Amino acid sequence: MPRSNNTILLSDQELSLRLTPIVDMMRNDEIDAAIISDNANIFYLTGRVIDGYLLIDSIDGKMWAFVRRPSDMTGPSTLFIRKPEDIPVIATENGIIIGAKVALERENTSWSACERLAKVFEPREICNIDGIIRRARAVKTPAEIKLIAASGIRQTEVYRKIPALYQPGMSDIDLQIEIERQLRMAGCLGQFRIAGDSMELFMANILTGDNADNPTPYDFAMGGHGAHPSLPVGADGSIIKRGHTVMVDANGNFTGYMTDMTRVFALGKIADEAVRAHECSRRICHTLADEARPGAEAKKLYERAIEIVREENLEEYFMGHRQHAGFIGHGLGIQINESPVIAPRSRDILQVGNVIALEPKFVIPGTGAVGIENTYVVTDDGPMKCLTNAPEEILAL
Amino acid sequence: MPRSNNTILLSDQELSLRLTPIVDMMRNDEIDAAIISDNANIFYLTGRVIDGYLLIDSIDGKMWAFVRRPSDMTGPSTLFIRKPEDIPVIATENGIIIGAKVALERENTSWSACERLAKVFEPREICNIDGIIRRARAVKTPAEIKLIAASGIRQTEVYRKIPALYQPGMSDIDLQIEIERQLRMAGCLGQFRIAGDSMELFMANILTGDNADNPTPYDFAMGGHGAHPSLPVGADGSIIKRGHTVMVDANGNFTGYMTDMTRVFALGKIADEAVRAHECSRRICHTLADEARPGAEAKKLYERAIEIVREENLEEYFMGHRQHAGFIGHGLGIQINESPVIAPRSRDILQVGNVIALEPKFVIPGTGAVGIENTYVVTDDGPMKCLTNAPEEILAL
């Protein structure tokens, strides 16, 4: 990892690739300045996490870092503050003019923090920057795609080891612990960044047998009872049994950017219906990967998936059985839930550089969860390119 | 774990113990209703995480759950909604009267979510509930203390195994991975809940040698460079060397409630100064544990610690060397950063049932971090009771 103390770890060219679309959208909305303090957004715009605020000035297209911590940051655009109230003072001292309309991360920052910042920038007009940043972050730069692809390679290597990790008598949690260890040994950072405050997951969602049919409060594609009511999702201590599947959806964050991949394993022979549903999931992924060209509507891709599920008479089991998820795919990168969203009412239109996880999954009562998930990048001249290349068939444990 | 579908997993008596102080404080501030959607607060008030909103009605002292997911929740106070706008409608249908002043979690919920809720409850007056909930949660019930103590016992068992996990040539990350696995095998849930959005940590902060002196952007007592700039804290891949310490501060969440414990290990003989600082940390913990009686001022405890550090001429190294932390202790339970805070400008007064982690630590250049951290509960008739009882001396790896 870089040991530079520069606040901006990105090259000038890379920063410009990320900043320019944001500045253009700000100008379009007549927003003069944006204040960024969300860790994911700071990582996007600097290549590291700092405690402080980035000020994007759309008037001259520049970005400044007002750093609270760490104290050893350097670089020409780095200024130090103790509290947000210092920003306008330090800005003036450095000849930085903050315009009349300031955007805050109103979807990603607490009401109290936004109110405090609004006071800091009084009497300026205050608006929201999150939609703009989300749209910018949805289109990955080549450097970002490289980092995501690197995560995919390492995640794939770990997934290949999963059958060898299984020992007879293991519970889903026992197997998860061994997968976690292999991921960490391969360089997985562990951190699983989710936008918003309501979703929580630790390292992986591993589901065996009918636990896959237990509903969760979280907005994930699959549920599971979890090990404790304080974290009600995923593995619940069920012993892995013959005729049951084990669905593994584990953390792919090796580079600050993550891939999302799901594979299914099974102990002994499983029901034909489950195998058929698994093949249907693969068919959906391959069909959608081919149709997801720039300009494609996200909601049409969702409809295409539903069409295939109907052809195969598997609606009852699709995206859950007792509780159904409302999407089959999602953007990802720094966080697991970025744009675009592949859902019935999505207004997203695919663009070159979108990175999308497709996860058409089924829950078959008596067997468990089946289906695959892959992370793809939208290209300019063909089908989406798959970044998660572990074998797709159901593998024997 | 309980397999009940009741939204409220707490007994009536336990719910009353948690709810009554909140209702009393609400009445005192003339707040008629509070809307709770933060996962940690929902877990506090129900014993589980749901997707939805709790409505605390201070007029009749009751709590209602407006559940979005999971769909299989039951119980007399459980009502279902699809979106927050349904709350007043469903409330009216069920004869629930929402008063004129409604409090939201303005410090813990995004500006956008608060604005949406404020609209839902128009034209009612809107205020903040976070201070009240934080004060209530600072005083743990006997049942909560039992859960924290249970975490302490399991965390202690894992810490005892640490010397046996070390293998020559290991890096800090290698050792951390083996500690993570032992924690998980002992039932650690992995999830490490931190209030607010700015702090991040994966499972443990493990520091060896001079990495302890690398500043972090996060508001933890200790720093560390981390494995990647996207998560700049803790272990950085340094090989554990003779004459260096290894400070282990690892996840103690086994029950939805966590303990916080730090212990120091060393390879070979370490500098006398480091041993002296470690003993000073123990002395501070024992002195403060004895003086932290109900009614004690948190800031006086901080001052007492500083006094001891000065007596021993160790100010230069206390709570960091290149970058210093501004506190020596913190409340904890569901989250790692609860009230009270043991810091110079803290206004907190200790109460029976406070659970506090004390972590007077030192960074000795050329050796690494030393000092201990224990989790204590404030009792009504004597010194604080320690819940983390692994051996306190520096143990050989």
Side-chain angles (χ1 to χ4, degrees), chain A residues 1-3 5 9 39 43 47-51 69-72 106-115 128 173 176-178 180-181 184-185 189-191 193 197-203 211 214-219 225-232 236 253-256 322-323, chain B residues 1-3 5 9 39 43 47-51 69-72 106-115 128 173 176-178 180-181 184-185 189-191 193 197-203 211 214-219 225-232 236 253-256 322-323:
Chain A
M1 70 175 291
R3 288 280 175 160
N5 282 358
L9 286 180
N39 286 349
F43 177 58
R48 67 157 79 233
V49 170
I50 55 143
D51 179 10
R69 267 185 309 219
S71 49
D72 60 349
R106 284 182 160 180
E107 291 169 26
N108 277 308
T109 318
S110 75
W111 188 93
S112 303
C114 284
E115 283 301 294
N128 184 27
I173 296 174
Q176 177 167 341
I177 293 169
E178 300 312 318
E180 287 169 6
R181 179 164 178 262
R184 294 279 288 141
M185 283 169 33
L189 299 172
Q191 190 74 2
R193 285 203 173 86
D197 290 327
S198 60
M199 288 162 74
E200 301 170 307
L201 184 75
F202 180 72
M203 280 299 277
N211 183 40
N214 284 319
T216 176
Y218 303 113
D219 190 22
H225 197 265
H228 192 271
S230 67
L231 191 64
D236 69 343
N253 173 16
F254 293 81
T255 61
R322 284 170 61 203
Q323 181 173 289
Chain B
M1 70 174 292
R3 287 282 174 159
N5 282 358
L9 287 180
N39 286 348
F43 177 58
R48 68 157 79 235
V49 170
I50 54 144
D51 178 11
R69 267 185 310 218
S71 49
D72 60 351
R106 285 182 160 180
E107 291 169 25
N108 278 308
T109 319
S110 74
W111 187 92
S112 304
C114 284
E115 282 301 293
N128 184 28
I173 295 174
Q176 176 167 342
I177 292 169
E178 300 311 317
E180 285 170 8
R181 179 164 177 261
R184 293 281 287 142
M185 282 170 33
L189 299 171
Q191 191 73 3
R193 284 203 172 86
D197 289 326
S198 60
M199 287 161 76
E200 301 171 306
L201 185 75
F202 180 72
M203 280 297 277
N211 184 38
N214 284 320
T216 176
Y218 303 113
D219 190 21
H225 197 263
H228 192 270
S230 68
L231 190 64
D236 69 343
N253 173 17
F254 293 82
T255 61
R322 283 170 61 202
Q323 181 172 288

Side-chain angles (χ1 to χ4, degrees), chain A residues 32-101:
Chain A
D32 300 315
I35 301 291
I36 305 297
S37 66
D38 176 72
N39 286 349
N41 288 338
I42 286 180
F43 177 58
Y44 178 66
L45 288 165
T46 66
R48 67 157 79 233
V49 170
I50 55 143
D51 179 10
Y53 302 85
L54 303 176
L55 167 67
I56 304 173
D57 180 344
S58 80
I59 297 168
D60 60 11
K62 279 190 185 165
M63 186 176 80
W64 302 87
F66 293 83
V67 179
R68 198 155 38 196
R69 267 185 309 219
S71 49
D72 60 349
M73 291 291 97
T74 59
S77 62
T78 299
L79 302 162
F80 287 92
I81 55 163
R82 305 195 74 165
K83 52 187 194 301
E85 288 72 17
D86 298 340
I87 299 173
V89 185
I90 304 284
T92 304
E93 282 174 17
N94 287 275
I96 304 163
I97 295 159
I98 303 170
K101 191 171 170 187

